Amino acid sequence: MENGAQQAPDSSKLPSPPIPKVGVAVFLLKGSKVLLGKRLSAVGHSTFALPGGHLEFGESFEECATREVKEETGLEIDKTEFLTVTNNVISEKVHIVCVFVRAVPADVNQKPETLEPDKCAGWDWYEWNNLPKPLFGPLEDMVQSGFNPFPTT
């Protein structure tokens, strides 16, 4: 080092801290029922969760919701609207800011398909007052708080 100047450490060799990701989850409603699937991924394995996934660069929440529901279930959705956001630190390496939206099927007669069998064991409609157990952590927290995704009349 010249003239006693210190050199900054090479930041390319330092481990970067985990970065939060943005997810979009969809309360897909049909009558008094909500669509849930049994997760097969490492995070939340064997818990029931809403369809959804990670927001892609430049996407709106509604675009992400439409894309993810179509990719996971084959269903087209309609009347998508923002509900709330949660901040979920799931583990030392997983931090998800989740945007929750509400939607309805564009065609109520269409049946959900399991299009990502490596991520979900299957989709079904469940009565809001009789949800399967165990629920995915962030969804369970919302249910326990008294959150209701159904529109008030």
Short mmCIF file of all heavy atoms in Angstrom, two decimals, residues 13-82:
data_model
loop_
_atom_site.label_atom_id
_atom_site.label_comp_id
_atom_site.label_asym_id
_atom_site.label_seq_id
_atom_site.Cartn_x
_atom_site.Cartn_y
_atom_site.Cartn_z
N LYS A 13 -15.71 -10.96 -2.26
CA LYS A 13 -15.38 -12.18 -1.53
C LYS A 13 -16.18 -12.31 -0.24
O LYS A 13 -16.14 -13.35 0.40
CB LYS A 13 -13.88 -12.21 -1.22
CG LYS A 13 -13.04 -12.32 -2.48
CD LYS A 13 -11.56 -12.32 -2.17
CE LYS A 13 -10.78 -12.36 -3.49
NZ LYS A 13 -9.39 -12.04 -3.32
N LEU A 14 -16.89 -11.27 0.16
CA LEU A 14 -17.68 -11.32 1.37
C LEU A 14 -19.04 -11.93 1.05
O LEU A 14 -19.63 -11.64 0.01
CB LEU A 14 -17.89 -9.92 1.96
CG LEU A 14 -16.62 -9.18 2.38
CD1 LEU A 14 -16.97 -7.75 2.79
CD2 LEU A 14 -15.94 -9.91 3.52
N PRO A 15 -19.58 -12.78 1.97
CA PRO A 15 -20.91 -13.33 1.70
C PRO A 15 -21.95 -12.20 1.79
O PRO A 15 -21.89 -11.36 2.68
CB PRO A 15 -21.11 -14.36 2.81
CG PRO A 15 -20.17 -13.96 3.89
CD PRO A 15 -19.02 -13.24 3.22
N SER A 16 -22.85 -12.17 0.83
CA SER A 16 -23.87 -11.13 0.86
C SER A 16 -25.01 -11.59 1.77
O SER A 16 -25.34 -12.78 1.81
CB SER A 16 -24.38 -10.83 -0.54
OG SER A 16 -24.93 -11.99 -1.11
N PRO A 17 -25.58 -10.64 2.50
CA PRO A 17 -26.68 -11.03 3.39
C PRO A 17 -27.90 -11.41 2.55
O PRO A 17 -28.06 -10.93 1.43
CB PRO A 17 -26.95 -9.75 4.20
CG PRO A 17 -26.42 -8.64 3.35
CD PRO A 17 -25.28 -9.23 2.56
N PRO A 18 -28.76 -12.27 3.10
CA PRO A 18 -29.99 -12.62 2.38
C PRO A 18 -30.81 -11.36 2.11
O PRO A 18 -30.82 -10.43 2.90
CB PRO A 18 -30.72 -13.56 3.32
CG PRO A 18 -29.72 -14.02 4.30
CD PRO A 18 -28.67 -12.94 4.38
N ILE A 19 -31.49 -11.34 0.98
CA ILE A 19 -32.31 -10.19 0.59
C ILE A 19 -33.77 -10.61 0.62
O ILE A 19 -34.12 -11.68 0.10
CB ILE A 19 -31.91 -9.72 -0.83
CG1 ILE A 19 -30.46 -9.23 -0.83
CG2 ILE A 19 -32.86 -8.64 -1.33
CD1 ILE A 19 -29.92 -8.90 -2.19
N PRO A 20 -34.64 -9.78 1.21
CA PRO A 20 -36.06 -10.11 1.20
C PRO A 20 -36.58 -10.22 -0.23
O PRO A 20 -36.12 -9.52 -1.13
CB PRO A 20 -36.72 -8.93 1.92
CG PRO A 20 -35.63 -8.29 2.70
CD PRO A 20 -34.36 -8.53 1.93
N LYS A 21 -37.54 -11.11 -0.43
CA LYS A 21 -38.19 -11.27 -1.73
C LYS A 21 -39.63 -10.79 -1.59
O LYS A 21 -40.20 -10.79 -0.51
CB LYS A 21 -38.16 -12.73 -2.17
CG LYS A 21 -36.76 -13.21 -2.47
CD LYS A 21 -36.77 -14.62 -3.00
CE LYS A 21 -35.34 -15.04 -3.33
NZ LYS A 21 -35.27 -16.40 -3.83
N VAL A 22 -40.21 -10.39 -2.72
CA VAL A 22 -41.61 -9.98 -2.73
C VAL A 22 -42.43 -11.11 -3.34
O VAL A 22 -42.14 -11.57 -4.44
CB VAL A 22 -41.81 -8.68 -3.54
CG1 VAL A 22 -43.30 -8.30 -3.60
CG2 VAL A 22 -40.99 -7.54 -2.94
N GLY A 23 -43.43 -11.53 -2.59
CA GLY A 23 -44.34 -12.57 -3.08
C GLY A 23 -45.74 -12.00 -3.23
O GLY A 23 -46.08 -10.99 -2.63
N VAL A 24 -46.53 -12.65 -4.06
CA VAL A 24 -47.93 -12.30 -4.22
C VAL A 24 -48.73 -13.58 -3.98
O VAL A 24 -48.46 -14.60 -4.61
CB VAL A 24 -48.23 -11.72 -5.62
CG1 VAL A 24 -49.72 -11.49 -5.80
CG2 VAL A 24 -47.45 -10.42 -5.83
N ALA A 25 -49.67 -13.52 -3.04
CA ALA A 25 -50.54 -14.67 -2.75
C ALA A 25 -51.97 -14.27 -3.07
O ALA A 25 -52.37 -13.12 -2.85
CB ALA A 25 -50.41 -15.07 -1.29
N VAL A 26 -52.73 -15.23 -3.58
CA VAL A 26 -54.06 -14.93 -4.10
C VAL A 26 -55.14 -15.68 -3.31
O VAL A 26 -55.16 -16.91 -3.29
CB VAL A 26 -54.16 -15.32 -5.59
CG1 VAL A 26 -55.53 -14.93 -6.15
CG2 VAL A 26 -53.04 -14.67 -6.39
N PHE A 27 -56.00 -14.90 -2.67
CA PHE A 27 -57.22 -15.46 -2.09
C PHE A 27 -58.18 -15.61 -3.26
O PHE A 27 -58.86 -14.65 -3.64
CB PHE A 27 -57.82 -14.53 -1.03
CG PHE A 27 -57.14 -14.59 0.30
CD1 PHE A 27 -56.23 -13.61 0.67
CD2 PHE A 27 -57.42 -15.61 1.19
CE1 PHE A 27 -55.61 -13.64 1.89
CE2 PHE A 27 -56.80 -15.66 2.43
CZ PHE A 27 -55.89 -14.67 2.79
N LEU A 28 -58.19 -16.79 -3.87
CA LEU A 28 -59.09 -17.06 -4.99
C LEU A 28 -60.39 -17.60 -4.39
O LEU A 28 -60.41 -18.68 -3.79
CB LEU A 28 -58.46 -18.06 -5.96
CG LEU A 28 -59.21 -18.27 -7.26
CD1 LEU A 28 -59.45 -16.96 -8.01
CD2 LEU A 28 -58.45 -19.24 -8.16
N LEU A 29 -61.45 -16.82 -4.52
CA LEU A 29 -62.71 -17.11 -3.83
C LEU A 29 -63.78 -17.59 -4.80
O LEU A 29 -63.91 -17.08 -5.91
CB LEU A 29 -63.21 -15.85 -3.12
CG LEU A 29 -62.21 -15.15 -2.19
CD1 LEU A 29 -62.85 -13.91 -1.59
CD2 LEU A 29 -61.70 -16.09 -1.11
N LYS A 30 -64.53 -18.59 -4.34
CA LYS A 30 -65.69 -19.10 -5.09
C LYS A 30 -66.78 -19.36 -4.07
O LYS A 30 -66.69 -20.31 -3.28
CB LYS A 30 -65.32 -20.38 -5.85
CG LYS A 30 -66.43 -20.89 -6.73
CD LYS A 30 -65.96 -21.95 -7.72
CE LYS A 30 -65.85 -23.30 -7.06
NZ LYS A 30 -65.68 -24.40 -8.03
N GLY A 31 -67.79 -18.48 -4.05
CA GLY A 31 -68.83 -18.57 -3.02
C GLY A 31 -68.21 -18.32 -1.66
O GLY A 31 -67.54 -17.31 -1.46
N SER A 32 -68.37 -19.26 -0.73
CA SER A 32 -67.77 -19.13 0.61
C SER A 32 -66.48 -19.93 0.73
O SER A 32 -66.01 -20.18 1.83
CB SER A 32 -68.78 -19.59 1.67
OG SER A 32 -69.11 -20.96 1.45
N LYS A 33 -65.93 -20.35 -0.42
CA LYS A 33 -64.73 -21.19 -0.41
C LYS A 33 -63.51 -20.46 -0.94
O LYS A 33 -63.63 -19.51 -1.71
CB LYS A 33 -64.97 -22.46 -1.24
CG LYS A 33 -66.04 -23.36 -0.65
CD LYS A 33 -66.23 -24.61 -1.46
CE LYS A 33 -67.28 -25.51 -0.81
NZ LYS A 33 -67.42 -26.75 -1.56
N VAL A 34 -62.35 -20.96 -0.52
CA VAL A 34 -61.05 -20.42 -0.96
C VAL A 34 -60.22 -21.58 -1.50
O VAL A 34 -60.30 -22.71 -1.00
CB VAL A 34 -60.34 -19.69 0.20
CG1 VAL A 34 -60.02 -20.62 1.36
CG2 VAL A 34 -59.09 -18.98 -0.27
N LEU A 35 -59.43 -21.30 -2.53
CA LEU A 35 -58.58 -22.33 -3.13
C LEU A 35 -57.26 -22.44 -2.37
O LEU A 35 -56.57 -21.44 -2.17
CB LEU A 35 -58.30 -21.98 -4.60
CG LEU A 35 -57.55 -23.04 -5.39
CD1 LEU A 35 -58.41 -24.29 -5.59
CD2 LEU A 35 -57.10 -22.48 -6.74
N LEU A 36 -56.94 -23.67 -1.95
CA LEU A 36 -55.68 -23.95 -1.25
C LEU A 36 -55.01 -25.17 -1.86
O LEU A 36 -55.69 -26.08 -2.34
CB LEU A 36 -55.91 -24.21 0.24
CG LEU A 36 -56.50 -23.07 1.07
CD1 LEU A 36 -56.77 -23.55 2.48
CD2 LEU A 36 -55.57 -21.87 1.09
N GLY A 37 -53.70 -25.20 -1.78
CA GLY A 37 -52.93 -26.35 -2.23
C GLY A 37 -51.95 -26.78 -1.16
O GLY A 37 -51.52 -25.97 -0.34
N LYS A 38 -51.58 -28.07 -1.17
CA LYS A 38 -50.63 -28.60 -0.19
C LYS A 38 -49.21 -28.45 -0.75
O LYS A 38 -48.86 -29.04 -1.77
CB LYS A 38 -50.94 -30.07 0.10
CG LYS A 38 -50.19 -30.61 1.30
CD LYS A 38 -50.72 -31.98 1.66
CE LYS A 38 -50.09 -32.46 2.96
NZ LYS A 38 -50.63 -33.77 3.32
N ARG A 39 -48.40 -27.65 -0.04
CA ARG A 39 -47.05 -27.32 -0.50
C ARG A 39 -46.11 -28.52 -0.43
O ARG A 39 -46.15 -29.29 0.52
CB ARG A 39 -46.45 -26.19 0.37
CG ARG A 39 -47.14 -24.86 0.21
CD ARG A 39 -46.57 -23.84 1.17
NE ARG A 39 -45.17 -23.56 0.90
CZ ARG A 39 -44.71 -22.56 0.17
NH1 ARG A 39 -45.57 -21.72 -0.38
NH2 ARG A 39 -43.43 -22.37 -0.02
N LEU A 40 -45.24 -28.63 -1.44
CA LEU A 40 -44.22 -29.66 -1.46
C LEU A 40 -42.81 -29.06 -1.42
O LEU A 40 -41.83 -29.81 -1.37
CB LEU A 40 -44.36 -30.55 -2.70
CG LEU A 40 -45.67 -31.35 -2.78
CD1 LEU A 40 -45.74 -32.12 -4.08
CD2 LEU A 40 -45.79 -32.29 -1.58
N SER A 41 -42.70 -27.73 -1.43
CA SER A 41 -41.39 -27.08 -1.39
C SER A 41 -40.82 -27.16 0.02
O SER A 41 -41.53 -27.46 0.99
CB SER A 41 -41.50 -25.63 -1.84
OG SER A 41 -42.40 -24.92 -1.03
N ALA A 42 -39.52 -26.90 0.14
CA ALA A 42 -38.83 -27.01 1.43
C ALA A 42 -39.44 -26.08 2.48
O ALA A 42 -39.60 -26.46 3.64
CB ALA A 42 -37.34 -26.73 1.25
N VAL A 43 -39.76 -24.84 2.08
CA VAL A 43 -40.36 -23.89 3.01
C VAL A 43 -41.85 -24.19 3.11
O VAL A 43 -42.57 -24.13 2.13
CB VAL A 43 -40.12 -22.44 2.54
CG1 VAL A 43 -40.84 -21.45 3.46
CG2 VAL A 43 -38.64 -22.13 2.46
N GLY A 44 -42.28 -24.58 4.30
CA GLY A 44 -43.69 -24.87 4.52
C GLY A 44 -44.16 -26.20 3.96
O GLY A 44 -45.34 -26.38 3.68
N HIS A 45 -43.26 -27.16 3.83
CA HIS A 45 -43.61 -28.47 3.27
C HIS A 45 -44.80 -29.08 4.02
O HIS A 45 -44.87 -29.06 5.24
CB HIS A 45 -42.40 -29.42 3.35
CG HIS A 45 -42.60 -30.67 2.56
ND1 HIS A 45 -43.27 -31.76 3.06
CD2 HIS A 45 -42.24 -31.00 1.30
CE1 HIS A 45 -43.30 -32.72 2.16
NE2 HIS A 45 -42.68 -32.28 1.07
N SER A 46 -45.76 -29.60 3.26
CA SER A 46 -46.96 -30.28 3.75
C SER A 46 -47.96 -29.35 4.45
O SER A 46 -48.84 -29.82 5.16
CB SER A 46 -46.60 -31.44 4.69
OG SER A 46 -45.93 -32.45 3.95
N THR A 47 -47.82 -28.03 4.24
CA THR A 47 -48.83 -27.11 4.76
C THR A 47 -49.70 -26.65 3.60
O THR A 47 -49.32 -26.74 2.44
CB THR A 47 -48.18 -25.88 5.43
OG1 THR A 47 -47.38 -25.17 4.48
CG2 THR A 47 -47.33 -26.29 6.62
N PHE A 48 -50.88 -26.16 3.93
CA PHE A 48 -51.81 -25.69 2.92
C PHE A 48 -51.63 -24.19 2.72
O PHE A 48 -51.55 -23.43 3.69
CB PHE A 48 -53.25 -26.01 3.33
CG PHE A 48 -53.56 -27.47 3.24
CD1 PHE A 48 -53.30 -28.32 4.30
CD2 PHE A 48 -54.09 -28.01 2.07
CE1 PHE A 48 -53.56 -29.68 4.21
CE2 PHE A 48 -54.36 -29.37 1.97
CZ PHE A 48 -54.09 -30.21 3.04
N ALA A 49 -51.57 -23.80 1.46
CA ALA A 49 -51.28 -22.40 1.14
C ALA A 49 -52.10 -21.94 -0.06
O ALA A 49 -52.65 -22.74 -0.82
CB ALA A 49 -49.79 -22.24 0.84
N LEU A 50 -52.14 -20.64 -0.22
CA LEU A 50 -52.79 -20.00 -1.36
C LEU A 50 -51.93 -20.12 -2.60
O LEU A 50 -50.70 -20.24 -2.48
CB LEU A 50 -52.99 -18.51 -1.06
CG LEU A 50 -53.81 -18.17 0.18
CD1 LEU A 50 -53.62 -16.70 0.55
CD2 LEU A 50 -55.28 -18.48 -0.06
N PRO A 51 -52.50 -20.05 -3.78
CA PRO A 51 -51.66 -19.97 -4.98
C PRO A 51 -50.93 -18.63 -4.99
O PRO A 51 -51.42 -17.64 -4.45
CB PRO A 51 -52.67 -20.06 -6.13
CG PRO A 51 -54.00 -19.74 -5.55
CD PRO A 51 -53.94 -20.05 -4.10
N GLY A 52 -49.76 -18.62 -5.57
CA GLY A 52 -48.99 -17.38 -5.66
C GLY A 52 -47.53 -17.68 -5.90
O GLY A 52 -47.12 -18.83 -6.05
N GLY A 53 -46.74 -16.62 -5.92
CA GLY A 53 -45.31 -16.78 -6.15
C GLY A 53 -44.61 -15.44 -6.11
O GLY A 53 -45.18 -14.45 -5.65
N HIS A 54 -43.39 -15.44 -6.62
CA HIS A 54 -42.57 -14.23 -6.54
C HIS A 54 -42.89 -13.24 -7.65
O HIS A 54 -43.12 -13.61 -8.79
CB HIS A 54 -41.09 -14.61 -6.58
CG HIS A 54 -40.66 -15.38 -5.38
ND1 HIS A 54 -40.57 -14.81 -4.13
CD2 HIS A 54 -40.34 -16.68 -5.22
CE1 HIS A 54 -40.20 -15.72 -3.26
NE2 HIS A 54 -40.06 -16.87 -3.89
N LEU A 55 -42.89 -11.98 -7.27
CA LEU A 55 -43.10 -10.88 -8.19
C LEU A 55 -41.90 -10.76 -9.12
O LEU A 55 -40.76 -10.77 -8.67
CB LEU A 55 -43.27 -9.58 -7.39
CG LEU A 55 -43.65 -8.32 -8.14
CD1 LEU A 55 -45.07 -8.42 -8.66
CD2 LEU A 55 -43.52 -7.12 -7.20
N GLU A 56 -42.17 -10.70 -10.41
CA GLU A 56 -41.09 -10.54 -11.39
C GLU A 56 -40.88 -9.05 -11.65
O GLU A 56 -41.80 -8.23 -11.48
CB GLU A 56 -41.44 -11.27 -12.69
CG GLU A 56 -41.42 -12.77 -12.51
CD GLU A 56 -41.67 -13.54 -13.80
OE1 GLU A 56 -41.91 -12.92 -14.86
OE2 GLU A 56 -41.65 -14.77 -13.73
N PHE A 57 -39.67 -8.71 -12.07
CA PHE A 57 -39.32 -7.32 -12.32
C PHE A 57 -40.31 -6.68 -13.29
O PHE A 57 -40.61 -7.23 -14.35
CB PHE A 57 -37.90 -7.22 -12.88
CG PHE A 57 -37.43 -5.80 -13.03
CD1 PHE A 57 -36.88 -5.12 -11.95
CD2 PHE A 57 -37.57 -5.12 -14.22
CE1 PHE A 57 -36.47 -3.82 -12.07
CE2 PHE A 57 -37.16 -3.81 -14.36
CZ PHE A 57 -36.61 -3.15 -13.28
N GLY A 58 -40.84 -5.52 -12.91
CA GLY A 58 -41.74 -4.77 -13.77
C GLY A 58 -43.20 -5.18 -13.72
O GLY A 58 -44.04 -4.53 -14.33
N GLU A 59 -43.51 -6.26 -13.01
CA GLU A 59 -44.89 -6.74 -12.93
C GLU A 59 -45.71 -5.95 -11.91
O GLU A 59 -45.20 -5.57 -10.86
CB GLU A 59 -44.91 -8.20 -12.43
CG GLU A 59 -45.09 -9.23 -13.45
CD GLU A 59 -45.22 -10.63 -12.87
OE1 GLU A 59 -44.69 -10.95 -11.79
OE2 GLU A 59 -45.84 -11.44 -13.56
N SER A 60 -46.99 -5.78 -12.19
CA SER A 60 -47.91 -5.26 -11.18
C SER A 60 -48.32 -6.44 -10.30
O SER A 60 -48.14 -7.61 -10.67
CB SER A 60 -49.14 -4.64 -11.84
OG SER A 60 -49.96 -5.65 -12.40
N PHE A 61 -48.89 -6.14 -9.15
CA PHE A 61 -49.38 -7.21 -8.27
C PHE A 61 -50.44 -8.03 -8.98
O PHE A 61 -50.47 -9.26 -8.88
CB PHE A 61 -49.95 -6.63 -6.97
CG PHE A 61 -48.98 -5.81 -6.17
CD1 PHE A 61 -49.42 -4.73 -5.44
CD2 PHE A 61 -47.62 -6.10 -6.14
CE1 PHE A 61 -48.53 -3.96 -4.69
CE2 PHE A 61 -46.72 -5.34 -5.40
CZ PHE A 61 -47.19 -4.27 -4.67
N GLU A 62 -51.32 -7.35 -9.71
CA GLU A 62 -52.40 -8.04 -10.42
C GLU A 62 -51.85 -8.93 -11.53
O GLU A 62 -52.35 -10.05 -11.72
CB GLU A 62 -53.38 -7.01 -10.99
CG GLU A 62 -54.14 -6.21 -9.95
CD GLU A 62 -53.34 -5.04 -9.35
OE1 GLU A 62 -52.20 -4.75 -9.81
OE2 GLU A 62 -53.85 -4.42 -8.41
N GLU A 63 -50.84 -8.46 -12.25
CA GLU A 63 -50.23 -9.27 -13.30
C GLU A 63 -49.57 -10.51 -12.72
O GLU A 63 -49.69 -11.61 -13.26
CB GLU A 63 -49.19 -8.46 -14.08
CG GLU A 63 -49.77 -7.39 -14.96
CD GLU A 63 -48.74 -6.40 -15.50
OE1 GLU A 63 -47.66 -6.24 -14.89
OE2 GLU A 63 -49.03 -5.77 -16.53
N CYS A 64 -48.88 -10.34 -11.60
CA CYS A 64 -48.23 -11.47 -10.93
C CYS A 64 -49.29 -12.48 -10.47
O CYS A 64 -49.13 -13.69 -10.68
CB CYS A 64 -47.40 -10.99 -9.75
SG CYS A 64 -46.56 -12.32 -8.88
N ALA A 65 -50.36 -12.00 -9.87
CA ALA A 65 -51.43 -12.89 -9.40
C ALA A 65 -52.02 -13.68 -10.56
O ALA A 65 -52.17 -14.91 -10.46
CB ALA A 65 -52.52 -12.07 -8.71
N THR A 66 -52.31 -13.01 -11.65
CA THR A 66 -52.88 -13.67 -12.82
C THR A 66 -51.93 -14.72 -13.38
O THR A 66 -52.34 -15.86 -13.67
CB THR A 66 -53.21 -12.62 -13.91
OG1 THR A 66 -54.17 -11.71 -13.38
CG2 THR A 66 -53.75 -13.27 -15.17
N ARG A 67 -50.66 -14.37 -13.51
CA ARG A 67 -49.65 -15.29 -14.05
C ARG A 67 -49.47 -16.50 -13.14
O ARG A 67 -49.49 -17.65 -13.59
CB ARG A 67 -48.31 -14.56 -14.23
CG ARG A 67 -47.18 -15.47 -14.71
CD ARG A 67 -45.86 -14.72 -14.82
NE ARG A 67 -45.46 -14.04 -13.60
CZ ARG A 67 -44.91 -14.64 -12.54
NH1 ARG A 67 -44.73 -15.96 -12.52
NH2 ARG A 67 -44.56 -13.94 -11.47
N GLU A 68 -49.28 -16.26 -11.84
CA GLU A 68 -49.02 -17.37 -10.91
C GLU A 68 -50.20 -18.33 -10.80
O GLU A 68 -50.02 -19.54 -10.80
CB GLU A 68 -48.65 -16.83 -9.52
CG GLU A 68 -47.26 -16.22 -9.45
CD GLU A 68 -46.14 -17.24 -9.54
OE1 GLU A 68 -46.39 -18.47 -9.45
OE2 GLU A 68 -44.97 -16.82 -9.69
N VAL A 69 -51.42 -17.80 -10.73
CA VAL A 69 -52.60 -18.69 -10.65
C VAL A 69 -52.70 -19.53 -11.92
O VAL A 69 -52.95 -20.74 -11.85
CB VAL A 69 -53.89 -17.89 -10.38
CG1 VAL A 69 -55.13 -18.76 -10.57
CG2 VAL A 69 -53.87 -17.29 -8.98
N LYS A 70 -52.46 -18.91 -13.07
CA LYS A 70 -52.52 -19.65 -14.35
C LYS A 70 -51.43 -20.73 -14.40
O LYS A 70 -51.70 -21.87 -14.79
CB LYS A 70 -52.37 -18.66 -15.51
CG LYS A 70 -52.44 -19.31 -16.88
CD LYS A 70 -53.85 -19.74 -17.21
CE LYS A 70 -53.94 -20.17 -18.66
NZ LYS A 70 -55.23 -20.75 -18.97
N GLU A 71 -50.19 -20.38 -13.99
CA GLU A 71 -49.07 -21.34 -14.02
C GLU A 71 -49.30 -22.51 -13.08
O GLU A 71 -48.94 -23.64 -13.39
CB GLU A 71 -47.77 -20.65 -13.61
CG GLU A 71 -47.20 -19.72 -14.64
CD GLU A 71 -45.95 -18.97 -14.16
OE1 GLU A 71 -45.50 -19.19 -13.02
OE2 GLU A 71 -45.44 -18.16 -14.94
N GLU A 72 -49.88 -22.24 -11.92
CA GLU A 72 -50.03 -23.27 -10.89
C GLU A 72 -51.30 -24.10 -11.01
O GLU A 72 -51.30 -25.28 -10.68
CB GLU A 72 -49.97 -22.64 -9.49
CG GLU A 72 -48.61 -22.03 -9.18
CD GLU A 72 -48.56 -21.36 -7.82
OE1 GLU A 72 -49.56 -21.38 -7.08
OE2 GLU A 72 -47.49 -20.82 -7.50
N THR A 73 -52.39 -23.46 -11.46
CA THR A 73 -53.69 -24.13 -11.43
C THR A 73 -54.38 -24.22 -12.78
O THR A 73 -55.39 -24.92 -12.91
CB THR A 73 -54.66 -23.40 -10.48
OG1 THR A 73 -55.04 -22.15 -11.08
CG2 THR A 73 -54.04 -23.15 -9.12
N GLY A 74 -53.91 -23.46 -13.77
CA GLY A 74 -54.57 -23.40 -15.07
C GLY A 74 -55.78 -22.49 -15.09
O GLY A 74 -56.40 -22.31 -16.14
N LEU A 75 -56.15 -21.92 -13.95
CA LEU A 75 -57.34 -21.08 -13.87
C LEU A 75 -57.06 -19.65 -14.32
O LEU A 75 -56.01 -19.08 -14.01
CB LEU A 75 -57.87 -21.04 -12.42
CG LEU A 75 -58.33 -22.36 -11.81
CD1 LEU A 75 -58.68 -22.18 -10.34
CD2 LEU A 75 -59.51 -22.93 -12.58
N GLU A 76 -58.04 -19.09 -15.02
CA GLU A 76 -58.03 -17.66 -15.34
C GLU A 76 -58.76 -16.96 -14.19
O GLU A 76 -59.75 -17.51 -13.66
CB GLU A 76 -58.78 -17.40 -16.64
CG GLU A 76 -58.19 -18.07 -17.86
CD GLU A 76 -56.95 -17.37 -18.39
OE1 GLU A 76 -56.68 -16.22 -18.00
OE2 GLU A 76 -56.25 -18.00 -19.20
N ILE A 77 -58.27 -15.77 -13.80
CA ILE A 77 -58.92 -15.06 -12.69
C ILE A 77 -59.46 -13.72 -13.16
O ILE A 77 -59.10 -13.21 -14.21
CB ILE A 77 -57.99 -14.90 -11.48
CG1 ILE A 77 -56.75 -14.06 -11.82
CG2 ILE A 77 -57.60 -16.26 -10.92
CD1 ILE A 77 -55.88 -13.74 -10.61
N ASP A 78 -60.33 -13.16 -12.32
CA ASP A 78 -61.01 -11.91 -12.64
C ASP A 78 -61.17 -11.11 -11.35
O ASP A 78 -61.07 -11.67 -10.24
CB ASP A 78 -62.39 -12.25 -13.24
CG ASP A 78 -63.00 -11.10 -13.99
OD1 ASP A 78 -62.31 -10.09 -14.26
OD2 ASP A 78 -64.19 -11.20 -14.32
N LYS A 79 -61.45 -9.82 -11.49
CA LYS A 79 -61.74 -8.93 -10.35
C LYS A 79 -60.64 -8.96 -9.30
O LYS A 79 -60.91 -9.02 -8.10
CB LYS A 79 -63.09 -9.27 -9.74
CG LYS A 79 -64.24 -9.13 -10.71
CD LYS A 79 -65.57 -9.44 -10.07
CE LYS A 79 -66.68 -9.35 -11.09
NZ LYS A 79 -67.95 -9.81 -10.60
N THR A 80 -59.40 -8.88 -9.73
CA THR A 80 -58.25 -8.91 -8.81
C THR A 80 -58.13 -7.58 -8.09
O THR A 80 -58.16 -6.53 -8.72
CB THR A 80 -56.95 -9.20 -9.58
OG1 THR A 80 -57.14 -10.39 -10.35
CG2 THR A 80 -55.78 -9.39 -8.65
N GLU A 81 -58.02 -7.65 -6.76
CA GLU A 81 -57.86 -6.42 -5.98
C GLU A 81 -56.93 -6.64 -4.79
O GLU A 81 -56.90 -7.70 -4.18
CB GLU A 81 -59.20 -5.87 -5.53
CG GLU A 81 -59.99 -6.79 -4.62
CD GLU A 81 -61.34 -6.20 -4.22
OE1 GLU A 81 -61.40 -5.04 -3.80
OE2 GLU A 81 -62.33 -6.93 -4.32
N PHE A 82 -56.16 -5.60 -4.48
CA PHE A 82 -55.23 -5.60 -3.36
C PHE A 82 -55.98 -5.71 -2.04
O PHE A 82 -57.00 -5.06 -1.85
CB PHE A 82 -54.40 -4.30 -3.39
CG PHE A 82 -53.58 -4.08 -2.16
CD1 PHE A 82 -52.33 -4.67 -2.04
CD2 PHE A 82 -54.04 -3.29 -1.13
CE1 PHE A 82 -51.57 -4.47 -0.91
CE2 PHE A 82 -53.28 -3.08 0.01
CZ PHE A 82 -52.04 -3.68 0.11
#
